[in-house]
Amino acid sequence: AQSVTQLDSQVPVFEEAPVELRCNYSSSVSVYLFWYVQYPNQGLQLLLKYLSGSTLVKGINGFEAEFNKSQTSFHLRKPSVHISDTAEYFCAVSRTSGSRLTFGEGTQLTVNP
Amino acid sequence: DTGVSQNPRHKITKRGQNVTFRCDPISEHNRLYWYRQTLGQGPEFLTYFQNEAQLEKSRLLSDRFSAERPKGSFSTLEIQRTEQGDSAMYLCASSSRVTSGGSTDTQYFGPGTRLTVL
């Protein structure tokens, strides 16, 4: 079974500052990794995913994440955040491509002016 | 194609009543998933269809919950004898194995149906 831990439930930052949202996973097998964003009263939108290949993955809206197998981590980063990045961010894993997603509890990113 | 749609967006019901939600996936997506999200938590997997076949069900899906996808297109999720603990956002997602130079098996989510049981 897989599990996901998002180490910070809330991350407040100022506009144009860099941000890192941390995600660790636990699995006995190789997994696929995802980051989704959820704006208030909306569904989830895929930011980026890691299936294989380069461990540095670039996504939409200037976000990127790095897969670290030895540390079982998949942290999300953005060098300069905007007010519009304020949202809930979820890290997720799946055992195979297309199988169920197991989500972390989410990190609320709040960007202040 | 406007993405995954879910109806209704909001549902308020009294305890003990039955409710049914509908999900229309992205056209030609053969996989359809249901998740439940309670306040302050990440989504939890409920069940998954490939075409009309229900391939996996979570232990979260009690006997009061039933899901169908009769023609391999839209899906319905029914909750019988609702309880206050059923109050949550019910999310539907779809994906496809068909590739055309793009991503495979990415799950695209709908806006969700928010259920409130009084």
Side-chain angles (χ1 to χ4, degrees), chain B residues 29-97:
Chain B
H29 274 193
N30 60 346
R31 296 182 175 183
L32 188 148
Y33 311 78
W34 285 99
Y35 293 84
R36 181 173 66 186
Q37 184 179 23
T38 54
L39 201 61
Q41 302 294 316
E44 296 175 298
F45 172 80
L46 293 178
T47 189
Y48 146 58
F49 291 85
Q50 181 162 305
N51 299 313
E52 64 276 7
Q54 189 173 19
L55 296 187
E56 188 178 1
K57 290 195 296 185
S58 164
R59 283 172 290 180
L60 290 175
L61 211 66
S62 76
D63 291 345
R64 297 184 297 104
F65 287 69
S66 62
E68 294 182 342
R69 195 183 183 197
K71 297 182 179 179
S73 57
F74 72 91
S75 175
T76 58
L77 177 67
E78 181 183 17
I79 308 174
Q80 296 181 328
R81 305 181 303 281
T82 53
E83 301 173 356
Q84 288 185 325
D86 297 331
S87 295
M89 176 78 85
Y90 290 83
L91 296 167
C92 176
S94 70
S95 73
S96 172
R97 290 196 65 85

Side-chain angles (χ1 to χ4, degrees), chain A residues 36 38 49 97-98 100-101, chain B residues 33 35 56 103 105-107:
Chain A
Y36 282 85
Q38 186 175 36
K49 63 182 179 182
S97 181
R100 64 159 74 181
L101 291 169
Chain B
Y33 311 78
Y35 293 84
E56 188 178 1
S103 302
D105 290 331
T106 296
Q107 292 185 33

Side-chain angles (χ1 to χ4, degrees), chain B residues 97-118:
Chain B
R97 290 196 65 85
V98 175
T99 64
S100 55
S103 302
T104 62
D105 290 331
T106 296
Q107 292 185 33
Y108 296 91
F109 283 80
T113 294
R114 182 170 296 284
L115 173 66
T116 302
V117 182
L118 301 177

Side-chain angles (χ1 to χ4, degrees), chain A residues 37 45-48 58-64 78:
Chain A
V37 60
Q45 180 182 5
L46 180 70
L47 278 177
L48 48 77
K58 293 190 182 297
I60 62 171
N61 301 341
F63 284 93
E64 63 181 31
K78 185 169 183 178

